[in-house]
Amino acid sequence: MTDTLSWTRARRIALRAQGMGRARRAEIPAPAASRRALRRTLEHTHLLQIDSVSVFARAHHLPVFTRTGSWDPAVLDRLSRPGPGRLVREALAHEATFATHEVHGLLDFRRRAAARRDWGAIREAAASGPHLLEKILAALEEIGPTSAAAVSRHLGDTERGEGWGWRRTDSQWAVEYLFRSGTLDCVGRSAQFERLYVVAEDVPRPLRAPAPPGADDPAPAAEAEDPERAESIRALMALAARSLGIAETASLADYFRVPVREARAAVEGLEATGEVRRVRVEHPTGAREMLLHRDAPAPTPLRISALVSPFDPLVFHRPRLSHLFDVEYRIGIYTPEARRTTGYYSLLFLHGDVIPALVDLKADRARGVLEVRGAFREDLPHLPARQRPADAAVVEALGVELGRAARWQGLDRVRVRTGAGTGALTEPLAAVLEAGDRGAAS
């Protein structure tokens, strides 16, 4: 028989599997505690998605804050550099991510595929300069960790291509290929958030560009049948299943961006060994069959209020966010301003086991202010009224969390913008924060 779980219990399993529910710090601790916070987060997530947007805080810094409270992000910078203490490496896992060594190793099949892929730009670059790849490696060995643009300048390369974002030189295209194929390692980011590259260890010489189609590239079907690839995907799906706790196959596939067909085959293997089993999750719109990991945490209630990045592993898969949390989320940074409904870069606000609000933040570092540009009530259309937290409770908890977030970012105060388009919760939130300020001053 298939076990049945309530919708609430499924949400709680999902949250606890992701490391939610622990006590969270209000102040930045000593470096050792920040390292432990990062490690604890990665034990649950296995990766942190990298994003360049810094209107409030970088997306790869927020998941640790969400789970453990204030911490020092400089620890991540140090632990991503080569050396015996290295904890993470940049890899193309979900998107560009900081991934654990285990995940980085399991993604070797993706780097091998990138090395074989027919990159038209690379073939053209190789044709224009047969020794370009070797010149790039020599340049990196000469000038040390540096960006693709700096390599291009060092080689005296010139741009080609049209349109913003695509005007790359031959050497810049080649650097991207060398990184994706595993020849180069990213060891940090510049002030402009460009990758800084070095030559990875044990790189074979001489290098060559990918061959034209049909020369030695395996067909996609043959690539999918490669036993090493299949075994790696199965291991990745096992990690995703443990990280998510309870999930559908599509969500497991999305976690490391694995084709659903291959994820489905891996899940069948996990079912055969008992690592996951099928359960029936009740939902007001109809029951859904999901996969429950054998080590999934108990669905105990959570006393947590935390800001959640839209790039947090908890909410990677938007259909899962909709099915489990009743939230239809669309980030505003890719939407024209006139069509935005919840601001530019709204974070989700987790309160207990529901997400009753979104909040659009901006860190004004020159003024020392965390600016709330919008606070929006989530409809949660399928959640029973008895499970919905009252607006007053949500606003009170959000005010406390915003104070914690401001201190984490080194900001002195929180200010709320009110008026048209800022959301239904801005005025009560402003009142709560003003009352807090008066209380602190008295």
Side-chain angles (χ1 to χ4, degrees):
M1 292 180 60
T2 301
D3 291 340
T4 298
L5 291 174
S6 70
W7 189 24
T8 298
R9 288 168 72 85
R11 286 198 305 275
R12 290 173 178 173
I13 289 170
L15 288 165
R16 290 204 174 275
Q18 276 280 303
M20 305 293 185
R22 301 178 66 104
R24 298 172 65 240
R25 292 185 179 87
E27 305 294 339
I28 295 176
S34 287
R35 288 194 294 272
R36 288 194 295 273
L38 176 59
R39 287 191 174 94
R40 281 201 302 268
T41 297
L42 289 167
E43 285 171 4
H44 292 279
T45 66
H46 306 294
L47 50 73
L48 301 170
Q49 184 172 329
I50 299 169
D51 191 73
S52 61
V53 177
S54 59
V55 63
F56 164 56
R58 300 243 187 238
H60 43 287
H61 296 161
L62 267 164
V64 185
F65 174 73
T66 299
R67 288 157 179 78
T68 68
S70 294
W71 72 296
D72 182 1
V75 165
L76 175 60
D77 295 334
R78 290 194 292 271
L79 295 184
S80 63
R81 296 171 189 157
R86 193 177 199 183
L87 185 64
V88 291
R89 294 182 65 175
E90 185 166 335
L92 299 175
H94 182 76
E95 294 289 344
T97 64
F98 288 113
T100 62
H101 292 297
E102 181 181 16
V103 168
H104 188 272
L106 290 172
L107 291 171
D108 191 51
F109 74 89
R110 190 166 287 166
R111 291 186 289 275
R112 292 196 306 270
R116 293 188 295 259
R117 191 170 302 132
D118 175 41
W119 286 48
I122 302 302
R123 284 191 288 113
E124 293 175 23
S128 67
H131 302 293
L132 176 60
L133 301 186
E134 287 288 343
K135 289 178 181 177
I136 289 170
L137 298 195
L140 285 168
E141 289 170 344
E142 178 182 344
I143 62 179
T146 195
S147 67
V151 169
S152 182
R153 290 192 295 271
H154 184 78
L155 297 178
D157 211 348
T158 55
E159 291 181 348
R160 63 182 178 83
E162 298 178 359
W164 179 87
W166 296 104
R167 297 186 62 82
R168 295 182 178 180
T169 66
D170 285 346
S171 56
Q172 286 175 301
W173 282 112
V175 167
E176 179 73 11
Y177 162 73
L178 291 171
F179 171 67
R180 288 175 178 259
S181 63
T183 302
L184 300 184
D185 188 7
C186 175
V187 294
R189 297 275 179 158
S190 70
Q192 292 74 38
F193 211 66
E194 301 171 293
R195 287 192 186 105
L196 300 177
Y197 299 98
V198 297
V199 180
E201 297 178 356
D202 303 322
V203 174
R205 300 288 189 96
L207 297 174
R208 66 180 181 85
D216 62 357
D217 292 358
E223 199 170 79
E225 293 169 4
D226 172 39
E228 189 174 340
R229 175 189 175 100
E231 189 58 37
S232 293
I233 288 176
R234 178 169 169 167
L236 288 169
M237 291 303 92
L239 290 177
R242 182 185 292 272
S243 286
L244 295 177
I246 186 168
E248 294 173 284
T249 300
S251 297
L252 299 180
D254 179 76
Y255 203 83
F256 294 109
R257 293 288 166 87
V258 168
V260 173
R261 178 176 60 84
E262 295 177 77
R264 191 175 293 118
V267 166
E268 290 174 0
L270 298 177
E271 284 189 88
T273 60
E275 192 156 353
V276 299
R277 61 186 175 89
R278 295 185 182 274
V279 295
R280 185 173 180 268
V281 176
E282 295 173 343
H283 191 279
T285 63
R288 305 183 72 90
E289 189 177 73
M290 302 184 78
L291 297 155
L292 179 69
H293 194 272
R294 66 185 173 200
D295 297 327
T300 52
L302 293 93
R303 295 185 177 181
I304 183 174
S305 295
L307 297 169
V308 180
S309 163
F311 301 114
D312 191 292
L314 176 70
V315 297
F316 272 167
H317 197 217
R318 300 299 194 242
R320 172 180 170 83
L321 178 60
S322 174
H323 300 154
L324 267 184
F325 293 96
D326 216 19
V327 172
E328 302 290 340
Y329 181 87
R330 182 175 181 178
I331 194 166
I333 58 178
Y334 307 120
T335 306
E337 185 173 2
R339 292 168 54 193
R340 293 176 195 149
T341 57
T342 57
Y344 176 74
Y345 188 70
S346 282
L347 307 182
L348 302 98
F349 181 59
L350 175 68
H351 183 63
D353 58 43
V354 297
I355 298 173
L358 303 178
V359 57
D360 188 23
L361 302 179
K362 179 180 180 180
D364 187 338
R365 302 188 191 282
R367 295 168 52 224
V369 172
L370 177 57
E371 182 181 353
V372 181
R373 301 189 295 180
F376 307 90
R377 180 194 296 115
E378 269 298 308
D379 291 336
L380 307 178
H382 302 109
L383 193 72
R386 66 182 184 279
Q387 296 181 20
R388 290 184 62 106
D391 280 0
V394 171
V395 167
E396 188 74 31
L398 179 56
V400 172
E401 177 65 1
L402 291 172
R404 186 197 310 268
R407 289 191 296 276
W408 174 50
Q409 288 295 301
L411 305 172
D412 301 322
R413 57 197 184 279
V414 181
R415 291 292 178 263
V416 183
R417 182 189 298 178
T418 59
T422 61
L425 300 181
T426 52
E427 291 192 6
L429 178 61
V432 163
L433 291 170
E434 287 169 9
D437 288 344
R438 288 195 297 271
S442 62

